[in-house]
């Protein structure tokens, strides 16, 4: 989708969000949005051409790998289902994390995010295939908003 930032139309991810989370972002209490991996978010946040090149290289036994996370869109448009409010944010990083100790520490140290502080113990010692992964978006700045105070 396109949003207006400083008089320019820019591409943005469109994501549904609870108003309470949007207000935390607006007031500087939250700087990271975390979304559980799903087919929707895999398609949204990954460059499918790079994913396919990685698969092909692995199948051919080549030790080549490109980070498949997209970096071509620098904004996100958060809104509710009724579209009674919106929050446009500049993002400077999209990455992946899991509810494991190292990622919980990374989120806390880098972004002051404590969403995995208690969750990682549940997955300690489990095989990788049983541990979910999440996309995170680091919010760099507020680009605009409506219907929020």
């Amino acid at each position: 989708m396109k949003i207006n930032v400083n008089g320019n139309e820019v591409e943005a991810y469109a994501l549904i969000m609870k108003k309470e989370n949007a207000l935390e972002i607006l007031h500087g209490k939250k700087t990271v949005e975390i979304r559980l991996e799903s087919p929707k978010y895999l398609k949204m946040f990954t460059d499918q051409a790079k994913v396919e090149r990685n698969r092909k290289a692995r199948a051919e036994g080549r030790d080549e790998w490109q980070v498949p996370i997209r970096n071509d869109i620098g904004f996100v448009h958060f809104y509710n289902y009724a579209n009674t409010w919106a929050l446009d944010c500049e993002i400077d990083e999209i990455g992946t994390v899991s509810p494991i100790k190292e990622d919980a520490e990374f989120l806390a140290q880098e972004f002051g995010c404590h969403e995995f502080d208690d969750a990682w113990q549940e997955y300690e010692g489990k095989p990788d295939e049983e541990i979910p992964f999440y996309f995170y978006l680091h919010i760099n700045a507020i680009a605009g908003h409506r219907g929020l105070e």
Side-chain angles (χ1 to χ4, degrees):
M1 82 168 298
K2 301 274 187 185
I3 62 171
N4 190 302
V5 177
N6 298 324
N8 298 311
E9 272 197 353
V10 296
E11 193 68 34
Y13 297 109
L15 297 174
I16 297 287
M17 177 178 268
K18 291 181 180 179
K19 188 173 187 176
E20 63 196 60
N21 291 335
L23 289 170
E24 286 184 0
I25 292 169
L26 183 62
H27 297 133
K29 296 177 183 169
K30 178 179 169 107
T31 63
V32 175
E33 175 61 12
I34 297 177
R35 300 288 172 117
L36 179 63
E37 173 271 328
S38 69
K40 173 184 176 177
Y41 296 131
L42 277 172
K43 185 176 180 182
M44 184 181 293
F45 298 134
T46 59
D47 180 331
Q48 294 305 303
K50 288 181 182 177
V51 169
E52 189 54 38
R53 281 194 295 272
N54 289 343
R55 278 192 201 124
K56 186 176 179 182
R58 187 175 36 242
E60 294 172 356
R62 291 183 283 130
D63 190 22
E64 298 173 15
W65 190 80
Q66 294 180 334
V67 176
I69 302 293
R70 292 180 64 179
N71 61 6
D72 60 324
I73 297 177
F75 293 88
V76 62
H77 174 79
F78 296 114
Y79 63 101
N80 65 345
Y81 284 110
N83 202 24
T84 56
W85 60 264
L87 177 64
D88 296 332
C89 299
E90 180 183 9
I91 55 173
D92 62 1
E93 183 176 348
I94 299 174
T96 59
V97 290
S98 292
I100 60 173
K101 184 177 182 180
E102 295 81 7
D103 288 353
E105 290 171 349
F106 164 76
L107 289 170
Q109 290 170 358
E110 292 294 317
F111 308 122
C113 175
H114 299 281
E115 290 191 36
F116 291 163
D117 284 1
D118 297 325
W120 67 265
Q121 293 94 343
E122 178 183 340
Y123 296 97
E124 194 167 37
K126 289 193 176 185
D128 288 348
E129 57 272 4
E130 292 181 24
I131 301 173
F133 82 89
Y134 298 76
F135 289 99
Y136 71 85
L137 291 79
H138 179 248
I139 296 158
N140 187 48
I142 305 298
H145 64 89
R146 67 172 169 74
L148 297 171
E149 294 180 30

